[in-house]
Each structure stands twice: as C-alpha cells, then as structure tokens.
Amino acid sequence: GPSEQVGVPVFFDGATQGEEMGIASGFFDVSGIEVLRGPQATFVGQAAAGGAILINSARPNFDGLNGFIEATAGTYGERKLTGALNLPIISDKFAARMAYMSEVRDSYFDNVVGQQVPGAASQWNPGDQQDQNFRLSFLWEPTDKLSIWTKLEESELHTYGAPQQPNPNYY
C-alpha cells in the first residue's frame, strides 16, 4: 500500500511515492532520473535501505518558446500522445510549462465471459490500461538569487485488474 516502507523508494520531484503507485503510471516530460545504489539514509531517509530512484520532471525555462509532441501507435490498440510546451513569454521573470500524456492499451487477453459488472455500459478485459496525465508548472525568478518553482499535476490511471487473476468459476 501507499504507506508501506519499501527498500528502494521512488521520489518524484523530491516527494516520495509508494513504489507501486509511482511505477504504474507512465513517465512524461522527464528531465532526469537518478539511481542511488546502496543504503541512502543520509540523502533520502531511513527507508532507503537498498537505494533510491529520483525522477525529476522538466521545469520551465527562459530559453524561448519551445516544446514537443510525440504520437505512438502499436499492437493491441496501443495509442499514446505525449507533449509539452514551454512559455517563457509571460515575462522575463516568469515562465510556465504545460505537459500532457495520454496512453490507451488493450489487454493481451480476451474476456470471453462478458461484462464484469452486470449492467455495465461497456465490456473491458483485465489488463486494459488507460492513463491520463497533465502537469502545469511555473517558475518565478524575481532576482538572480531567488528562484521559486511550483507544479500542479493530475494523474488518472485505470488498469481494470490484473490479467493473471484466477478464474473464480471452477468446473
């Protein structure tokens, strides 16, 4: 669960996440990943007996209007759209960055039983995945010695159950 202490904690922009929660969602607009080996109690806390993973998102910058967009399609209905836009034009002291990722993938298994929930509007298979992520970050540098960075992020992940769940119907 989210309150468990894991041997190798995962940190997103300095905030720790439960390992399963942090790794399940897709990564988007990442500026860097650091893997710290061995006990890391000095740097990230006592729960990091096996090391730590530090994931940092891209921050707004003053390098001009820039960004990217990437689309992916693949087997099993894989559709993924990722993009980011940096807006330093707000002022020479204030910048913003917007990032988005949407990923949909069908299961590798087929549901031959029918709807999992009686009366449900649609049928889904264990292993289907829908992942939506949005991030809005701001950078304010009023002086050369003061820099304030903040972000708002929303993530929504639907996995519709693990595909290896046993069949409750025995014959």
Short mmCIF file of all heavy atoms in Angstrom, two decimals, residues 88-113:
data_model
loop_
_atom_site.label_atom_id
_atom_site.label_comp_id
_atom_site.label_asym_id
_atom_site.label_seq_id
_atom_site.Cartn_x
_atom_site.Cartn_y
_atom_site.Cartn_z
N PRO A 88 8.02 30.93 -21.87
CA PRO A 88 8.73 31.94 -21.09
C PRO A 88 8.31 33.36 -21.46
O PRO A 88 8.84 34.31 -20.92
CB PRO A 88 10.18 31.70 -21.49
CG PRO A 88 10.07 31.25 -22.89
CD PRO A 88 8.80 30.44 -22.97
N ILE A 89 7.36 33.50 -22.36
CA ILE A 89 6.99 34.81 -22.88
C ILE A 89 6.06 35.58 -21.95
O ILE A 89 5.68 36.69 -22.25
CB ILE A 89 6.34 34.67 -24.26
CG1 ILE A 89 5.15 33.72 -24.20
CG2 ILE A 89 7.36 34.19 -25.27
CD1 ILE A 89 4.37 33.60 -25.48
N ILE A 90 5.69 34.97 -20.82
CA ILE A 90 4.81 35.67 -19.89
C ILE A 90 5.50 36.95 -19.41
O ILE A 90 4.91 38.00 -19.36
CB ILE A 90 4.41 34.75 -18.73
CG1 ILE A 90 3.60 33.56 -19.30
CG2 ILE A 90 3.63 35.49 -17.67
CD1 ILE A 90 3.31 32.48 -18.31
N SER A 91 6.75 36.83 -19.04
CA SER A 91 7.60 37.98 -18.72
C SER A 91 9.04 37.46 -18.66
O SER A 91 9.26 36.27 -18.78
CB SER A 91 7.21 38.63 -17.40
OG SER A 91 7.66 37.86 -16.31
N ASP A 92 9.99 38.35 -18.47
CA ASP A 92 11.37 37.89 -18.38
C ASP A 92 11.69 37.31 -17.00
O ASP A 92 12.79 36.81 -16.78
CB ASP A 92 12.34 39.02 -18.73
CG ASP A 92 12.19 40.21 -17.79
OD1 ASP A 92 11.15 40.32 -17.11
OD2 ASP A 92 13.11 41.05 -17.77
N LYS A 93 10.73 37.33 -16.08
CA LYS A 93 10.93 36.78 -14.74
C LYS A 93 10.00 35.61 -14.43
O LYS A 93 10.15 34.96 -13.41
CB LYS A 93 10.67 37.88 -13.69
CG LYS A 93 11.45 39.14 -13.89
CD LYS A 93 12.74 39.08 -13.14
CE LYS A 93 13.45 40.42 -13.27
NZ LYS A 93 14.88 40.27 -13.29
N PHE A 94 9.04 35.34 -15.30
CA PHE A 94 8.02 34.33 -15.03
C PHE A 94 7.84 33.43 -16.25
O PHE A 94 7.66 33.92 -17.35
CB PHE A 94 6.70 35.01 -14.67
CG PHE A 94 5.64 34.08 -14.18
CD1 PHE A 94 5.70 33.56 -12.90
CD2 PHE A 94 4.58 33.72 -15.00
CE1 PHE A 94 4.72 32.70 -12.44
CE2 PHE A 94 3.60 32.87 -14.55
CZ PHE A 94 3.66 32.35 -13.27
N ALA A 95 7.90 32.11 -16.04
CA ALA A 95 7.73 31.16 -17.14
C ALA A 95 6.76 30.06 -16.70
O ALA A 95 6.60 29.79 -15.51
CB ALA A 95 9.07 30.55 -17.53
N ALA A 96 6.15 29.42 -17.68
CA ALA A 96 5.22 28.31 -17.41
C ALA A 96 5.51 27.18 -18.38
O ALA A 96 6.03 27.39 -19.47
CB ALA A 96 3.78 28.79 -17.56
N ARG A 97 5.17 25.97 -17.96
CA ARG A 97 5.34 24.79 -18.82
C ARG A 97 4.13 23.90 -18.63
O ARG A 97 3.71 23.62 -17.50
CB ARG A 97 6.62 24.05 -18.45
CG ARG A 97 6.91 22.88 -19.37
CD ARG A 97 8.26 22.26 -19.02
NE ARG A 97 8.62 21.21 -19.94
CZ ARG A 97 9.35 21.37 -21.04
NH1 ARG A 97 9.79 22.58 -21.36
NH2 ARG A 97 9.64 20.37 -21.83
N MET A 98 3.56 23.46 -19.75
CA MET A 98 2.44 22.54 -19.73
C MET A 98 2.90 21.24 -20.36
O MET A 98 3.58 21.25 -21.39
CB MET A 98 1.26 23.10 -20.54
CG MET A 98 0.69 24.37 -19.97
SD MET A 98 -0.67 25.01 -20.96
CE MET A 98 0.20 25.52 -22.43
N ALA A 99 2.53 20.11 -19.74
CA ALA A 99 2.89 18.80 -20.27
C ALA A 99 1.67 17.89 -20.17
O ALA A 99 0.87 18.00 -19.24
CB ALA A 99 4.06 18.21 -19.51
N TYR A 100 1.55 16.97 -21.13
CA TYR A 100 0.38 16.09 -21.20
C TYR A 100 0.81 14.73 -21.73
O TYR A 100 1.70 14.62 -22.58
CB TYR A 100 -0.67 16.71 -22.14
CG TYR A 100 -1.87 15.83 -22.36
CD1 TYR A 100 -2.84 15.71 -21.37
CD2 TYR A 100 -2.03 15.11 -23.53
CE1 TYR A 100 -3.95 14.90 -21.56
CE2 TYR A 100 -3.13 14.31 -23.73
CZ TYR A 100 -4.09 14.20 -22.74
OH TYR A 100 -5.18 13.39 -22.93
N MET A 101 0.19 13.68 -21.19
CA MET A 101 0.39 12.34 -21.73
C MET A 101 -0.92 11.57 -21.61
O MET A 101 -1.58 11.60 -20.57
CB MET A 101 1.47 11.57 -20.98
CG MET A 101 1.76 10.23 -21.66
SD MET A 101 2.61 9.03 -20.63
CE MET A 101 1.33 8.54 -19.53
N SER A 102 -1.28 10.90 -22.69
CA SER A 102 -2.45 10.03 -22.70
C SER A 102 -2.02 8.71 -23.34
O SER A 102 -1.44 8.70 -24.42
CB SER A 102 -3.58 10.67 -23.51
OG SER A 102 -4.64 9.74 -23.66
N GLU A 103 -2.31 7.60 -22.66
CA GLU A 103 -1.96 6.29 -23.20
C GLU A 103 -3.12 5.33 -22.99
O GLU A 103 -3.69 5.25 -21.90
CB GLU A 103 -0.71 5.74 -22.50
CG GLU A 103 -0.27 4.40 -23.06
CD GLU A 103 1.03 3.91 -22.43
OE1 GLU A 103 1.47 4.47 -21.43
OE2 GLU A 103 1.59 2.95 -22.98
N VAL A 104 -3.48 4.62 -24.05
CA VAL A 104 -4.53 3.61 -24.00
C VAL A 104 -3.97 2.35 -24.64
O VAL A 104 -3.36 2.40 -25.70
CB VAL A 104 -5.79 4.08 -24.78
CG1 VAL A 104 -6.85 3.00 -24.79
CG2 VAL A 104 -6.33 5.35 -24.18
N ARG A 105 -4.15 1.24 -23.94
CA ARG A 105 -3.68 -0.05 -24.45
C ARG A 105 -4.69 -1.12 -24.09
O ARG A 105 -5.19 -1.17 -22.98
CB ARG A 105 -2.31 -0.40 -23.85
CG ARG A 105 -1.79 -1.74 -24.30
CD ARG A 105 -0.48 -2.10 -23.64
NE ARG A 105 -0.41 -1.87 -22.23
CZ ARG A 105 -0.87 -2.70 -21.29
NH1 ARG A 105 -1.49 -3.81 -21.63
NH2 ARG A 105 -0.73 -2.41 -20.01
N ASP A 106 -4.98 -1.98 -25.07
CA ASP A 106 -5.87 -3.10 -24.82
C ASP A 106 -5.11 -4.23 -24.15
O ASP A 106 -3.88 -4.30 -24.21
CB ASP A 106 -6.48 -3.61 -26.14
CG ASP A 106 -7.37 -2.57 -26.80
OD1 ASP A 106 -7.91 -1.71 -26.08
OD2 ASP A 106 -7.53 -2.62 -28.02
N SER A 107 -5.85 -5.13 -23.54
CA SER A 107 -5.25 -6.26 -22.85
C SER A 107 -4.67 -7.27 -23.83
O SER A 107 -5.07 -7.33 -25.00
CB SER A 107 -6.31 -6.95 -21.98
OG SER A 107 -5.78 -8.09 -21.36
N TYR A 108 -3.75 -8.06 -23.35
CA TYR A 108 -3.21 -9.16 -24.14
C TYR A 108 -4.13 -10.38 -24.06
O TYR A 108 -3.92 -11.38 -24.73
CB TYR A 108 -1.82 -9.56 -23.62
CG TYR A 108 -0.85 -8.41 -23.60
CD1 TYR A 108 -0.38 -7.89 -22.41
CD2 TYR A 108 -0.42 -7.82 -24.78
CE1 TYR A 108 0.50 -6.83 -22.39
CE2 TYR A 108 0.46 -6.75 -24.77
CZ TYR A 108 0.92 -6.26 -23.57
OH TYR A 108 1.78 -5.21 -23.56
N PHE A 109 -5.17 -10.30 -23.23
CA PHE A 109 -6.11 -11.38 -23.01
C PHE A 109 -7.48 -10.97 -23.52
O PHE A 109 -7.82 -9.80 -23.56
CB PHE A 109 -6.21 -11.71 -21.51
CG PHE A 109 -4.90 -12.14 -20.92
CD1 PHE A 109 -4.05 -11.21 -20.35
CD2 PHE A 109 -4.51 -13.46 -20.95
CE1 PHE A 109 -2.84 -11.58 -19.81
CE2 PHE A 109 -3.31 -13.86 -20.42
CZ PHE A 109 -2.46 -12.91 -19.85
N ASP A 110 -8.31 -11.94 -23.86
CA ASP A 110 -9.68 -11.68 -24.28
C ASP A 110 -10.64 -12.09 -23.18
O ASP A 110 -10.50 -13.16 -22.58
CB ASP A 110 -10.02 -12.46 -25.55
CG ASP A 110 -9.33 -11.90 -26.77
OD1 ASP A 110 -9.14 -10.67 -26.84
OD2 ASP A 110 -8.94 -12.68 -27.65
N ASN A 111 -11.64 -11.27 -22.93
CA ASN A 111 -12.67 -11.56 -21.96
C ASN A 111 -13.77 -12.33 -22.68
O ASN A 111 -14.54 -11.75 -23.45
CB ASN A 111 -13.20 -10.26 -21.36
CG ASN A 111 -14.33 -10.50 -20.40
OD1 ASN A 111 -14.63 -11.62 -20.02
ND2 ASN A 111 -14.97 -9.42 -20.00
N VAL A 112 -13.86 -13.62 -22.45
CA VAL A 112 -14.87 -14.44 -23.13
C VAL A 112 -16.11 -14.62 -22.28
O VAL A 112 -17.09 -15.19 -22.74
CB VAL A 112 -14.28 -15.83 -23.51
CG1 VAL A 112 -13.17 -15.66 -24.53
CG2 VAL A 112 -13.79 -16.57 -22.29
N VAL A 113 -16.11 -14.12 -21.04
CA VAL A 113 -17.23 -14.28 -20.13
C VAL A 113 -18.29 -13.21 -20.36
O VAL A 113 -19.47 -13.46 -20.23
CB VAL A 113 -16.74 -14.25 -18.66
CG1 VAL A 113 -17.89 -14.37 -17.70
CG2 VAL A 113 -15.74 -15.35 -18.43
#
